[in-house]
Amino acid sequence: MDALSLGIGHLLTLPVLVSVFAGTVLGVVVGVLPGLGSVVGITMVLPFTFTLGQIPALALMLGIYCGSVYGGSISAIVINTPGTPQAAATALDGYPMARRGEADLAIGWTTAASVIGGLFSVAVLIVAAPQLAAFSLNFTAIEYFALGVFALICIANVSRGAMLKGLLSGVIGLFVATVGVDHVTGDMRFTFDNFEMTAGISLVPAIVGLFALSEVFVRASETHVLKEQSMFRVGFRLPPWSEWKPRLGILFKSCAIGSFVGALPGTGAATAAFISYSEAKRSSPRRDKLGTGEPDGLVAAESANNAVTGSAMVPTLALGIPGDPVTAVMLGTFVVHGLAPGPRLFTEHLDLVYAVFFILIAVNLLMFVVGAVGAQAFTRVLRVPEPILMACVVVISLIGAYGVRGNPIDLIIAFVFGVVGFLFRKNGFPLAPMVIGMVLSEMIENSLRQGLLITRGDFLAFFERPIALALFVLTAAILLWPPIRWALDRRTKADTKKMDWTSE
């Protein structure tokens, strides 16, 4: 009970309330601007959170996270360009409604569905995270090593059809995190006799370079043809209860789909939105109208993608495994603020966990107010010329990267990782596994060393632990399934051709 009251007390402090408001508004703006997205928004602000306390910093980041997922729907409705990938399904029915002169009603549907989906996912987080964390109290160093390997493989699975590239990206992240002083022996690793490298590669400038600067480089490398975008008059109008009543089944089914998908490591809000939209197209009584401006599509897509925000925090808080690339960066936020997500977070910082719960509730409620009041103002941001926008991203990112330690080498690190991120994107390598590799590297290395001490150097003894064995089996299944599926598909095609040849 003391932790619960402390959590409420944390939320009601002025710095946290200001952070919630600023984060939500900034998140919506980031979501409205096509191409930026949640990861870039969080990355840009991450360095500036060092001037804040732990809880205000988390409030700011959570506000940006939830606000940006919702904000992408506004540009999807108004200009048929999703501000974030999560809002791609929203454009299918949102833009046709706008063309009919119902942009205000479309924004009303998406805002209400987003808030309900977000609050539903917070309830899932409150129920599921403590249970999962309590179970993980059975973990020793051996289980933590198996969990770290499993997390790395799961997030590599984000790169659909490019598992090897995802694994390579994660291994590079593991290696990068070893630069500097060995915490066990005190030896220097990969510093090349450079004193400034002894402190290692800071996570913040690396993330800033990988996501924010690489986005700028990608935009600069593309040839843009300026075209006039048709924009509609935007306002906010809530649909009446009579319109909501026949859609409650779709609403709560989509919330459940989004919460389930969000809790799976390596998925994301875009996946949840399209799964939910497909389910609505299969089961909705108005399925024939989907794609022509039917509110069912908006309710399904927006409630599902916002239901991911809370549930994606379940494995992040309870196990330290991110639910999607955005929470991969959020995991870095916990680490740089001296917090280690996992079961110890629930035993040593339970008041902070409750504060996160209440912050997410406050953010989702505030999101409704911000959407209702500021929808028309946010669309004006769409008129900012892209060169000016990208220049602002560069300036803010570099100031933030330098301000963390005041070390000029962090500017070089940010630039180098920006180039690496650019090359990765151009060649189809996912960035999230590298971040997870950097975040998990210390845990994986230390757990492996401690586990070998427990087993007296016998690595095979790791497989005698039931939980660790289950995690290793799951890891192997994820790794082996793509080639097995490829072989099965090839065999099926061969059998089909043989049958066709025989019939002839």
Side-chain angles (χ1 to χ4, degrees), residues 120-277:
F120 186 95
S121 73
V122 175
V124 172
L125 173 64
I126 293 172
V127 172
Q131 303 301 323
L132 190 57
F135 170 74
S136 63
L137 286 173
N138 299 315
F139 285 20
T140 65
I142 295 172
E143 282 77 19
Y144 274 113
F145 170 73
L147 181 64
V149 175
F150 175 69
L152 196 64
I153 299 303
C154 279
I155 202 67
N157 199 35
V158 171
S159 50
R160 303 295 180 191
M163 171 68 82
L164 290 178
K165 290 181 178 180
L167 290 175
L168 181 59
S169 178
V171 170
I172 291 173
L174 289 173
F175 166 74
V176 166
T178 63
V179 174
V181 180
D182 186 323
H183 297 294
V184 177
T185 64
D187 294 333
M188 300 296 172
R189 301 190 292 194
F190 310 112
T191 59
F192 302 101
D193 296 325
N194 187 328
F195 177 74
E196 291 180 322
M197 293 291 290
T198 57
I201 294 177
S202 178
L203 185 63
V204 173
I207 292 178
V208 166
L210 274 177
F211 291 100
L213 293 186
S214 70
E215 178 67 27
V216 175
F217 295 157
V218 168
R219 297 284 191 95
S221 69
E222 296 173 347
T223 303
H224 291 280
V225 179
L226 294 177
K227 59 181 180 180
E228 196 70 26
Q229 289 179 315
S230 58
M231 296 186 65
F232 302 95
R233 187 182 176 191
V234 178
F236 180 85
R237 178 159 57 103
L238 273 178
W241 169 248
S242 59
E243 292 290 317
W244 275 105
K245 194 173 180 180
R247 295 178 172 88
L248 291 178
I250 292 174
L251 173 65
F252 290 110
K253 183 192 293 184
S254 301
C255 289
I257 291 172
S259 297
F260 175 74
V261 172
L264 299 175
T267 58
T271 304
F274 277 106
I275 291 175
S276 181
Y277 189 87

Side-chain angles (χ1 to χ4, degrees), residues 442-501:
E442 184 176 350
M443 184 192 84
I444 291 175
E445 182 182 6
N446 291 343
S447 299
L448 175 61
R449 285 177 163 179
Q450 293 169 10
L452 289 173
L453 287 174
I454 294 172
T455 62
R456 300 179 182 273
D458 183 9
F459 183 73
L460 293 178
F462 282 34
F463 297 93
E464 297 174 2
R465 310 275 298 194
I467 296 176
L469 178 61
L471 290 169
F472 284 133
V473 169
L474 286 173
T475 302
I478 293 172
L479 281 173
L480 295 176
W481 174 241
I484 292 174
R485 185 175 58 184
W486 176 83
L488 290 174
D489 290 343
R490 189 173 180 181
R491 183 176 178 179
T492 303
K493 290 178 181 178
D495 291 342
T496 303
K497 287 182 179 179
K498 186 176 180 181
M499 290 176 64
D500 293 341
W501 180 81

Side-chain angles (χ1 to χ4, degrees), residues 12 14 16 51 79 147 270 291 297 374 384 466 490:
L12 297 179
L14 183 61
V16 174
T51 60
I79 61 173
L147 181 64
V384 177
R490 189 173 180 181

